Amino acid sequence: MIKRAFQYLFLSVTAFVSIFPFFWMIVGATNASVDVTKGKLTFGSQLIDNVLKAVKTTNIVSGVRNSFFVAIVATVLAIFVSSLAGYGFEIFKSKGRNKVFNLLLLSMMIPFAALMIPLYRMFSELGLLNRFSAIIIPSISTAFLIFFFRQNTKSFPRELLQAARIDGLGELGIFLKIYFPTMKSTYAAAGIITFMNMWNSYMWPLIALQTNEKKTLPLIIATLNSSYTPDYGVIMVSIVIATIPSAIVFFVMQKSFVEGMTGSVKG
């Protein structure tokens, strides 16, 4: 009985610590800046005013539009290219396959800080700075997604592959017509991970995007916080706006996300 009480106490404290920042964010979005500074923890009546201020005094609308464009395009390209690579690594046998794959995994150990200067110089020479392509191209193929798709492809039924080849279906046709529908849960999980990473991406867009018209939502929010007299009500409502798309994507695709992370294959 005492053990169970401690378990419930621990879970309650953990849940409170996890949920309280979100609660404070939502409450802060409904209060004026002075109330947020005072630490007011009750809902106010300034939500509409804060939204109007955010729209009128910041580039939040263009930030949302830019973030959606970058996140959606990068997600679609990343899951297609990475799934194709992961599928190839697992299905097609070759002598140096595992060595190349191990080198790919080693690249995950390189911190992004070590890649920023080479990436900046490369995109500068290509004339792609301050373009969305500078944000999208580096994310098209990542070692983690390739690894993720290869591991899930291990559970792909080889009988389907053999039957499709016997019927005369080409390798690309097998990938598009057999593999893709069967691995929908894996694609959903990879899509959620990639979308959230791109939506919340900050460091590289901060370096590559140099004009206000091109900035994504995290960059817009960061500029609000760096002003001499920040309006915390506007900041809170902007953070709420930035949180909504990721939350919707996750909760709508939650079941598929869990199935994809556990390697489930649609029968």
Side-chain angles (χ1 to χ4, degrees):
M1 185 68 180
I2 297 177
K3 182 179 179 180
R4 176 165 293 185
F6 275 112
Q7 290 176 343
Y8 280 117
L9 178 62
F10 173 76
L11 292 174
S12 299
V13 172
T14 304
F16 175 79
V17 172
S18 301
I19 295 174
F20 179 76
F22 295 98
F23 172 76
W24 186 51
M25 173 185 69
I26 295 172
V27 169
T30 66
N31 288 306
S33 180
V34 62
D35 294 324
V36 177
T37 305
K38 292 179 180 178
K40 182 182 177 182
L41 294 178
T42 57
F43 289 98
S45 59
Q46 300 297 312
L47 176 62
I48 303 300
D49 291 338
N50 289 334
V51 172
L52 293 177
K53 285 182 183 178
V55 172
K56 292 179 180 180
T57 62
T58 69
N59 293 326
I60 191 169
V61 175
S62 65
V64 171
R65 183 174 60 249
N66 295 340
S67 290
F68 266 117
F69 177 80
V70 170
I72 292 173
V73 173
T75 299
V76 172
L77 293 176
I79 62 176
F80 177 75
V81 174
S82 298
S83 64
L84 198 60
Y87 173 85
F89 269 116
E90 182 59 28
I91 298 299
F92 301 111
K93 311 295 182 182
S94 64
K95 188 174 181 180
R97 178 185 63 167
N98 290 330
K99 292 181 180 179
V100 174
F101 188 71
N102 289 335
L103 289 175
L104 185 67
L105 294 182
L106 284 174
S107 68
M108 295 174 63
M109 300 181 183
I110 303 175
F112 182 73
L115 302 175
M116 287 191 298
I117 294 177
L119 278 175
Y120 181 85
R121 293 190 61 182
M122 180 175 68
F123 282 107
S124 177
E125 292 176 2
L126 293 173
L128 295 178
L129 288 180
N130 202 37
R131 296 174 181 266
F132 294 135
S133 55
I135 310 300
I136 295 171
I137 291 175
S139 64
I140 287 179
S141 180
T142 64
F144 170 75
L145 281 182
I146 295 174
F147 169 77
F148 178 70
F149 274 105
R150 185 188 180 184
Q151 292 303 111
N152 281 275
T153 304
K154 292 180 183 295
S155 61
F156 178 69
R158 296 303 190 271
E159 295 80 7
L160 293 177
L161 184 65
Q162 295 169 0
R165 286 173 176 170
I166 291 173
D167 289 340
L169 193 61
E171 295 298 333
L172 184 59
I174 294 173
F175 177 80
L176 296 175
K177 298 179 180 180
I178 306 295
Y179 179 82
F180 177 74
T182 305
M183 307 296 289
K184 280 185 178 179
S185 297
T186 302
Y187 277 93
I192 291 173
I193 294 171
T194 306
F195 180 87
M196 294 179 71
N197 285 340
M198 293 305 300
W199 181 265
N200 296 318
S201 180
Y202 176 77
M203 183 59 69
W204 178 238
L206 177 66
I207 297 171
L209 302 178
Q210 301 168 344
T211 59
N212 291 331
E213 293 75 17
K214 294 288 186 178
K215 287 184 177 180
T216 55
L217 191 54
L219 302 183
I220 300 296
I221 295 174
T223 58
L224 295 177
N225 195 37
S226 62
S227 60
Y228 185 72
T229 56
D231 189 326
Y232 292 108
V234 173
I235 294 174
M236 288 296 187
V237 81
S238 300
I239 296 174
V240 170
I241 294 172
T243 304
I244 290 174
S246 295
I248 292 175
V249 169
F250 178 78
F251 285 115
V252 168
M253 306 179 68
Q254 183 178 11
K255 182 179 179 181
S256 297
F257 176 79
V258 174
E259 291 177 354
M261 294 302 293
T262 55
S264 297
V265 175
K266 182 178 179 182

